[in-house]
Amino acid sequence: MRRFLISAALAIALPALAQDDAVWLTLTEQAATFYEQDQYADGIRVAARALMIAEENWPGQPRVATSLSNLARLYLAQGEFDEVEPLLRRALEIDERTLGKEHPHYARELGALAHLEELRGRYEEAEKLYREGLEIMEGSKGPDHPDTATAMNNLAGFYAACGRFDEGESLFRRALAVQEKALDSGDPRIAVSLANVATLFHSRGEFKQAESFYQRALDIDEAAYGKDHPNVARDADSLGTLYDSMDRPEDARPLHDRAAAIWEKSGGKGLRAHAAALDNAGRVALARGRLADSEIFFHWAWEIRRKFLGNDHPDMVISLENLGCLYTRWGRLGDAKSVYRRALTIREKTFAPEHPAVADSLVALSKVCTARKEYAEAERYETRALAILEKERGPLDRSVAESLDRLADALEAQNRFAEALPKRARAARAWGQILGEDHPELAGRYMALADLCRKTGRDAEAARFRERAIEIKMKYPGP
């Protein structure tokens, strides 16, 4: 999970209100400390008190926005997504009204909201928000400011998580160049960027370059924080994982042992960010066909979360779904089904039954059951997913059209053609609205409808759909 700063104070003039002012600052600093220590429940309790004081003394002012934002980040880190958006929306409204939409504080709230949308699977909206935040930082702070580099890193991390590795690498390198120019050579922020670039090298199999960047990050963090800091554990563990990939167990084991000892001593501080970095490395390796390396990354992230967060923590879903994707690609469909079912169980405990995140797990299970030719089970999962998606996103959303097509596929595979036909017809109508009535993809969908009509004795309708498919194909001739 990407990290976002908890604001300890605003860099603008605010009236001091003696005791309340001091209490607010103290509570805000305590919330920041709890956040950095991954003690989110304690942080939420303290941040809520800071928000109450801010609303009593500075209603509608930037300190209220700061407190709202801090509380939202803590809820986000704890995986309580439903609590986050209302808080961030209020913070954005206050910052826009009091500071303006071009202010860095507004950009930071956009970054947090973007991360929420990313976690919800709303990737187009997430990218839009990340990019808008970066543009504001570039305009307000300049392209060579460290805060701009932080916004670059956030967008780069999003690209890497989405499999857009070339774009991610370009931004990671830009951020590193800005930091090396603007910051002292021993600044820990440089270590974060070095580790980001190292992870990309590692997952592409460019081990020598990765080793150099990981080692530099480790050296910087050791000098900045001391030898027993969680960030040093992260760096040591990353370097150890690289040596695992290089088949150098004699070098890897001492680094893993050192990291484990630090985490045990610190209560697991910093582990969630490290697990997220391992996730990204696994995705890069998977995209490049390095399945065994991908499993190393994904399984290590799973083990970290299991040990320090527990089997039922919402973050476990990230590891389970990554492993499910890998096992599906590998053809290990039984393993994929097992981890996807575990992910569904956790999400059903974490969210309401009709939450979109539950639909994501249902869709994953529907797909793997279809691949295993377990069509009745796929139908059950997809039916539930479709109901959730239609309620959440409306009948003309792409995800709904895709779900209708998958459900029709499952019904057809069971020779239940009469039940499949209305699902396929609804999907075709939705795709016509989404893509345009004459889009070339519609030709194949109308031919599929014609085939279903023929199988159910609707010959006249079959002829109409076939004619419509031919009409579209004539407009877009090609192979």
Side-chain angles (χ1 to χ4, degrees):
M1 181 175 287
R2 244 152 283 141
R3 305 287 288 184
F4 295 87
L5 293 177
I6 291 277
S7 298
L10 287 170
I12 55 176
L14 289 168
L17 294 182
Q19 184 175 356
D20 285 330
D21 183 79
V23 171
W24 181 83
L25 285 171
T26 298
L27 290 171
T28 303
E29 289 166 357
Q30 288 177 351
T33 299
F34 283 131
Y35 180 82
E36 291 303 320
Q37 294 177 346
D38 294 348
Q39 297 176 14
Y40 303 124
D42 289 333
I44 287 169
R45 174 178 52 80
V46 171
R49 287 181 59 201
L51 174 60
M52 182 181 67
I53 290 171
E55 290 190 302
E56 288 176 353
N57 291 284
W58 309 282
Q61 295 303 307
R63 284 197 181 187
V64 175
T66 296
S67 294
L68 288 164
S69 177
N70 290 345
L71 185 57
R73 284 162 168 77
L74 285 155
Y75 277 125
L76 184 62
Q78 191 156 277
E80 297 183 42
F81 300 152
D82 291 342
E83 304 288 342
V84 177
E85 184 170 4
L87 296 169
L88 287 177
R89 294 288 183 190
R90 281 190 63 201
L92 282 165
E93 184 276 325
I94 293 171
D95 279 343
E96 180 179 356
R97 177 169 46 78
T98 59
L99 302 175
K101 294 179 71 172
E102 302 306 315
H103 196 280
H105 285 285
Y106 188 83
R108 292 192 187 104
E109 315 314 343
L110 288 177
L113 186 58
H115 191 44
L116 172 65
E117 299 291 37
E118 178 186 351
L119 292 171
R120 284 173 163 175
R122 299 172 182 171
Y123 300 119
E124 290 184 8
E125 181 65 16
E127 180 177 3
K128 175 184 173 184
L129 292 167
Y130 277 129
R131 293 178 67 89
E132 185 179 351
L134 174 57
E135 289 169 4
I136 292 171
M137 280 297 186
E138 287 180 323
S140 61
K141 294 290 187 82
D144 297 327
H145 193 279
D147 288 351
T148 303
T150 299
M152 288 180 192
N153 267 325
N154 291 336
L155 179 57
F158 168 75
Y159 285 148
C162 292
R164 295 162 62 177
F165 305 118
D166 291 341
E167 294 170 272
E169 180 180 356
S170 175
L171 272 175
F172 277 141
R173 286 183 174 277
R174 280 181 58 196
L176 178 59
V178 169
Q179 290 171 330
E180 288 185 319
K181 180 179 179 181
L183 302 171
D184 181 82
S185 60
D187 193 294
R189 285 172 286 183
I190 294 177
V192 173
S193 291
L194 287 167
N196 287 337
V197 177
T199 298
L200 286 172
F201 280 135
H202 183 178
S203 52
R204 289 198 314 227
E206 299 174 23
F207 296 147
K208 285 297 183 184
Q209 296 94 322
E211 182 178 14
S212 173
F213 278 73
Y214 278 140
Q215 187 63 60
R216 284 181 61 196
L218 177 58
D219 292 342
I220 289 172
D221 280 337
E222 278 187 329
Y225 298 118
K227 293 184 179 295
D228 294 326
H229 193 275
N231 286 6
V232 173
R234 175 201 63 202
D235 298 334
D237 201 58
S238 296
L239 186 55
T241 304
L242 173 67
Y243 290 146
D244 286 330
S245 297
M246 298 171 73
D247 196 24
R248 291 168 54 181
E250 70 285 355
D251 294 319
R253 178 47 49 196
L255 289 163
H256 289 315
D257 289 345
R258 179 184 178 192
I262 295 172
W263 282 323
E264 290 284 0
K265 185 177 179 180
S266 68
K269 296 171 187 174
L271 272 170
R272 297 177 82 184
H274 180 53
L278 290 169
D279 291 333
N280 285 340
R283 294 184 190 112
V284 176
L286 178 60
R288 299 185 182 278
R290 302 173 60 86
L291 303 187
D293 283 337
S294 180
E295 186 173 29
I296 289 173
F297 288 124
F298 287 155
H299 194 273
W300 191 245
W302 173 85
E303 180 61 31
I304 286 171
R305 291 183 171 112
R306 183 197 63 80
K307 182 174 181 180
F308 289 94
L309 300 177
N311 283 321
D312 294 330
H313 193 278
D315 279 13
M316 288 296 291
V317 172
I318 301 170
S319 285
L320 292 166
E321 291 192 336
N322 285 337
L323 286 166
C325 183
L326 168 65
Y327 292 149
T328 301
R329 171 85 172 270
W330 217 331
R332 295 163 56 180
L333 298 178
D335 291 334
K337 182 178 178 181
S338 177
V339 295
Y340 281 138
R341 288 181 68 175
R342 180 68 190 136
L344 175 62
T345 298
I346 294 172
R347 278 187 162 150
E348 287 177 327
K349 290 180 179 178
T350 305
F351 300 108
E354 296 183 349
H355 194 280
V358 175
D360 291 342
S361 290
L362 292 166
V363 167
L365 278 163
S366 169
K367 290 178 179 179
V368 79
C369 286
T370 297
R372 286 166 56 87
K373 303 186 187 306
E374 297 169 345
Y375 300 117
E377 196 169 354
E379 176 196 349
R380 289 195 296 273
Y381 287 127
E382 198 64 58
T383 299
R384 284 186 60 196
L386 176 60
I388 295 170
L389 293 169
E390 280 193 300
K391 183 176 180 179
E392 172 72 15
R393 299 173 185 174
L396 298 180
D397 188 80
R398 182 180 291 268
S399 66
V400 173
E402 291 170 345
S403 182
L404 285 164
D405 275 330
R406 286 191 297 270
L407 185 52
D409 289 341
L411 292 166
E412 283 193 64
Q414 299 174 73
N415 295 322
R416 292 160 59 188
F417 303 123
E419 295 171 75
L421 179 57
K423 304 294 189 296
R424 191 74 75 190
R426 285 179 57 199
R429 287 194 296 272
W431 285 118
Q433 292 291 318
I434 294 166
L435 301 174
E437 292 295 340
D438 292 330
H439 193 280
E441 282 189 23
L442 270 293
R445 299 183 186 282
Y446 285 129
M447 288 300 289
L449 271 172
D451 186 54
L452 268 177
C453 288
R454 180 184 58 78
K455 289 177 179 177
T456 53
R458 294 173 170 83
D459 293 339
E461 292 178 66
R464 286 198 298 273
F465 284 127
R466 189 175 297 108
E467 289 173 4
R468 181 70 179 112
I470 293 170
E471 179 185 346
I472 293 172
K473 285 184 178 180
M474 294 293 289
K475 291 184 178 180
Y476 300 96

